[in-house]
Amino acid sequence: MTKTTNNWWKKSVVYQIYPSSFNDTNGDGIGDIPGIIEKLDYLKNLGIDVIWLSPVYDSPQADNGYDIRDYQSIYEKYGTMEDLDKLLEEVHNRGMKLVMDLVVNHTSDEHQWFVESKSSKESPYRDYYVWRDGKADGEPPNNWGSVFSGSAWDYDEATGQYYLHLFAKKQPDLNWENPDLRTDVYEMMNFWLDKGIDGFRMDVINFISKDQDFPDGEVGEGQLYGDSGQYFINGPRIHEFLKEMHTEVLAKHDVMTVGEMPGATPDDAKDYTDPANDELDMIFTFEHMNLDQVDGDKWNLKALNLVDLKENFEKWQTSLHGVGWNSLYWNNHDQPRIVSRFGDDAKYREKSAKMLATCLHMMQGTPYIYQGEELGMTNVQFESLEDYRDIETLNMYKEKKSLGWSHERIMEAIYAKGRDNARTPMQWNASENAGFTTGTPWLAVNPNYQQINAEAALEDEHSIYHYYKRLIQLRKEKDILTNGRFELLMRDDAQVFAYKRVGEEETYVVVCNFSGEEAVLEDSIVAEVQGAEVVISNDDSYDIRHKLAPYEGVVYSK
Ligand code: NOJ
């Protein structure tokens, strides 16, 4: 395949596949690589350019593959390396690209490096991970908490030290201070790039450099652990490490890199993605996903204030313009379904799903679609905790219980924010288990699959699927979407998200109603869109230019 140059990823639309929940071909209830190959025409038909594949590497699956045992082999339930090679070939045959997940903040505790590291203080691999003595009283080296609840340190009896794990106990953090570890990581990346993959999505890559003093964080009210992010988010040597990775690996290939970076600000993002800095191509940010929570705790629910969302997007759109590059997303495997979150998944499911897509896809950046988003898949509410599989959810339940939260409050939080909302199997058709598997799915299918499924969506020309297809097409045809400047309109309005994209010869005006009530547009916008052409709209019947129907989204061009 000939590689195109010139930042092809700026005009691309990415589709994320979460392998265990995508398509199962052997009836074991778990998606697999042959299942992905089977659906490539579906993705090509949707119009997507790039597939981001969540981890398919060998793993004990404590965190669904984000705990890697061997970076250079494939998890047996997903298939073989031959299957992966075939997938890559078939993706390329269809003119699409394949981006793999790179998880190098941590490995599995079953990775050979950790097995060696744990075996003795003298092991040459000891220093591949972060080992520290406990405090004088035997307590962990500091008061950091793990993202998945509990202390971020686990004690190893045999060698009498603690190891750091910012995530699960089975996900020990790698020590990037060690140059041999870095060389091994770069070698592994080159192995994949030599196969011809088209880039990496880098898991929590801005966590890899830690403050080597490992200070305690301040403990807030009602908290069990110290506020520690400042000691490892965008840590002291992060830019040095990324520049080194760029020189050793990335500079030699025409690939796309996207850094998942919780806690990064627009200023950080500029440093990471300004091409002059030779680090990454784009950033995957979180601020817009953190607006419906209290005190930095995603389980502590708060209703979204639309003004906050608008101002947040404005900040990112204007700061990165002409300097760096952003990802545009509402969903991924860690987030609840957007139609249930910022839309209305009952009365206005189709309408609000299309409006949300319109609002996002008209901005500057590279849009990401998470499997099932194009069908308007919704959150799920399992009655019993036993039906949940996600380690974050299950650990959180115990921790919140110990803090005195009621069962009802915790379940409400899980229904709103739990990661299994995104992980229920892909809904392909109305047959048993949504056509995902002939066996028992590893996580139950959302019971609404008889109404919401790909087969039905493909047949209905007005479906959410076909609407996404048009949005994706627009991204390819209209340079203004890639290059235009962003200007926020109706800043203080609590219902309408309106903005302009200003190009050299053309202006787009995007107006979206985020509510289930009619909304009135500002006079200046009404004047501006008089006589303007409609680029796309989710309500062709509602041609009243001074008002928006519930969840209406329209784009005008002039
Ligand atoms: C971010 C990933 O998206 C998430 O799924 C995972 O649990 C953590 N990083 C740890 O790898």
Side-chain angles (χ1 to χ4, degrees):
M1 197 202 71
T2 359
K3 285 196 163 173
T4 46
T5 46
N6 292 334
N7 303 341
W8 47 266
W9 38 268
K10 285 195 174 178
K11 278 191 91 73
S12 295
V13 177
V14 180
Y15 187 94
Q16 184 193 352
I17 292 181
Y18 196 63
S20 55
S21 303
F22 194 62
N23 185 29
D24 173 24
T25 54
N26 62 3
D28 66 357
I30 298 171
D32 46 46
I33 296 173
I36 300 172
I37 297 174
E38 207 174 87
K39 298 295 183 184
L40 288 178
D41 289 333
Y42 168 85
L43 299 178
K44 182 68 188 168
N45 181 43
L46 181 58
I48 63 117
D49 307 284
V50 178
I51 294 171
W52 151 25
L53 193 56
S54 275
V56 289
Y57 315 101
D58 178 37
S59 156
Q61 306 288 323
D63 185 19
N64 285 359
Y66 283 91
D67 50 319
I68 297 172
R69 183 162 45 203
D70 181 351
Y71 288 108
Q72 286 167 224
S73 68
I74 302 295
Y75 176 47
E76 58 178 12
K77 298 215 162 126
Y78 290 163
T80 61
M81 192 58 92
E82 287 69 46
D83 292 328
L84 196 280
D85 292 339
K86 175 99 188 315
L87 171 66
L88 183 58
E89 193 188 327
E90 294 288 334
V91 167
H92 286 168
N93 284 344
R94 288 167 177 77
M96 298 186 287
K97 293 177 190 283
L98 187 69
V99 164
M100 306 275 288
D101 224 298
L102 180 80
V103 187
V104 290
N105 174 67
H106 45 267
T107 64
S108 162
D109 64 342
E110 296 180 29
H111 192 289
Q112 202 49 38
W113 294 340
F114 190 74
V115 173
E116 300 263 356
S117 181
K118 198 178 166 184
S119 68
S120 133
K121 280 182 163 172
E122 274 66 55
S123 159
Y125 287 93
R126 184 69 170 180
D127 193 40
Y128 268 41
Y129 295 84
V130 184
W131 291 96
R132 289 289 182 278
D133 292 330
K135 287 189 173 153
D137 59 2
E139 288 293 300
N142 67 23
N143 66 1
W144 298 2
S146 144
V147 176
F148 294 158
S149 306
S151 166
W153 298 92
D154 203 46
Y155 187 64
D156 174 48
E157 296 275 350
T159 58
Q161 284 192 309
Y162 285 87
Y163 68 88
L164 178 72
H165 59 90
L166 292 178
F167 295 89
K169 279 187 190 156
K170 284 185 70 63
Q171 291 168 300
D173 278 55
L174 287 164
N175 176 21
W176 275 73
E177 302 293 315
N178 182 322
D180 294 337
L181 173 269
R182 301 206 299 275
T183 306
D184 279 353
V185 168
Y186 303 149
E187 226 174 76
M188 173 274 283
M189 292 173 74
N190 278 320
F191 164 86
W192 285 101
L193 292 171
D194 290 344
K195 272 191 181 287
I197 68 158
D198 303 290
F200 290 111
R201 173 269 185 185
M202 303 185 181
D203 192 68
V204 288
I205 198 69
N206 63 332
F207 287 13
I208 59 176
S209 163
K210 279 91 177 168
D211 181 330
Q212 292 301 296
D213 291 335
F214 292 92
D216 276 331
E218 216 168 290
V219 185
E221 220 188 287
Q223 302 295 315
L224 291 171
Y225 297 96
D227 177 14
S228 56
Q230 58 192 306
Y231 304 120
F232 60 81
I233 296 178
N234 312 313
R237 297 180 70 188
I238 182 68
H239 294 291
E240 178 194 333
F241 294 156
L242 290 178
K243 284 183 171 57
E244 183 182 79
M245 181 192 282
H246 193 275
T247 310
E248 296 299 320
V249 184
L250 304 170
K252 301 171 191 158
H253 305 268
D254 176 24
V255 292
M256 163 186 144
T257 54
V258 48
E260 187 207 26
M261 300 208 182
T265 64
D267 279 340
D268 299 321
K270 281 191 222 168
D271 291 340
Y272 288 122
T273 66
D274 181 342
N277 289 351
D278 286 339
E279 295 186 19
L280 301 178
D281 295 326
M282 71 180 102
I283 179 168
F284 207 82
T285 65
F286 286 85
E287 284 184 354
H288 69 300
M289 293 277 99
N290 296 342
L291 299 172
D292 52 355
Q293 67 186 34
V294 180
D295 294 337
D297 175 4
K298 78 175 202 181
W299 308 107
N300 202 348
L301 308 178
K302 173 182 129 183
L304 174 75
N305 174 348
L306 184 66
V307 177
D308 293 345
L309 185 72
K310 293 194 278 190
E311 293 193 335
N312 192 268
F313 272 114
E314 177 190 38
K315 185 172 74 173
W316 282 91
Q317 289 285 303
T318 53
S319 308
L320 290 194
H321 184 74
V323 190
W325 200 252
N326 211 345
S327 307
L328 301 170
Y329 76 95
W330 286 131
N331 289 278
N332 68 18
H333 62 292
D334 296 329
Q335 300 293 338
R337 295 283 181 181
I338 199 64
V339 68
S340 305
R341 187 179 190 178
F342 294 166
D344 175 347
D345 65 8
K347 186 166 173 201
Y348 292 111
R349 188 184 65 86
E350 298 229 347
K351 197 82 186 292
S352 63
K354 291 176 190 169
M355 180 283 288
L356 287 160
T358 311
C359 184
L360 191 75
H361 281 242
M362 294 295 112
M363 292 193 206
Q364 184 169 50
T366 298
Y368 286 64
I369 299 168
Y370 176 70
Q371 65 187 41
E373 176 183 340
E374 77 281 13
L375 307 175
M377 275 178 63
T378 67
N379 282 353
V380 73
Q381 301 195 353
F382 296 130
E383 252 172 64
S384 162
L385 193 64
E386 277 172 21
D387 288 328
Y388 286 89
R389 298 282 173 270
D390 177 25
I391 183 169
E392 181 192 41
T393 295
L394 300 173
N395 289 356
M396 177 281 289
Y397 185 91
K398 287 190 212 126
E399 189 158 292
K400 293 296 189 202
K401 260 295 175 73
S402 79
L403 286 167
W405 285 33
S406 69
H407 171 78
E408 290 68 30
R409 178 169 180 202
I410 306 177
M411 291 313 285
E412 198 195 327
I414 294 174
Y415 294 158
K417 294 286 184 66
R419 303 196 298 182
D420 283 337
N421 282 309
R423 299 175 181 186
T424 60
M426 181 72 178
Q427 292 166 207
W428 292 109
N429 57 46
S431 71
E432 205 181 345
N433 290 321
F436 162 72
T437 181
T438 53
T440 307
W442 71 277
L443 172 69
V445 172
N446 191 317
N448 62 20
Y449 68 90
Q450 299 201 340
Q451 291 77 49
I452 305 172
N453 64 65
E455 195 176 282
L458 282 165
E459 274 165 21
D460 172 9
E461 58 172 322
H462 299 295
S463 67
I464 300 169
Y465 175 93
H466 286 289
Y467 193 84
Y468 265 85
K469 202 169 159 170
R470 283 163 61 206
L471 286 172
I472 296 168
Q473 200 52 40
L474 284 174
R475 171 91 17 193
K476 297 194 181 129
E477 289 165 2
K478 309 288 183 187
D479 285 337
I480 186 174
L481 293 180
T482 314
N483 303 320
R485 195 161 46 74
F486 176 98
E487 244 177 65
L488 184 64
L489 307 168
M490 293 182 71
R491 174 181 303 276
D492 299 321
D493 193 278
Q495 270 177 292
V496 178
F497 193 153
Y499 61 88
K500 274 189 201 174
R501 295 295 305 279
V502 184
E504 274 170 19
E505 283 146 19
E506 209 181 359
T507 297
Y508 275 13
V509 180
V510 181
V511 287
C512 294
N513 182 357
F514 271 66
S515 81
E517 315 290 322
E518 255 190 4
V520 180
L521 287 180
E522 236 169 53
D523 290 348
S524 58
I525 299 183
V526 180
E528 194 149 4
V529 301
Q530 280 313 325
E533 180 199 331
V534 173
V535 180
I536 189 166
S537 154
N538 70 353
D539 191 346
D540 297 339
S541 66
Y542 201 85
D543 192 24
I544 303 174
R545 299 222 164 180
H546 66 284
K547 276 189 182 167
L548 290 174
Y551 292 109
E552 184 177 359
V554 194
V555 182
Y556 296 101
S557 148
K558 40 165 287 196

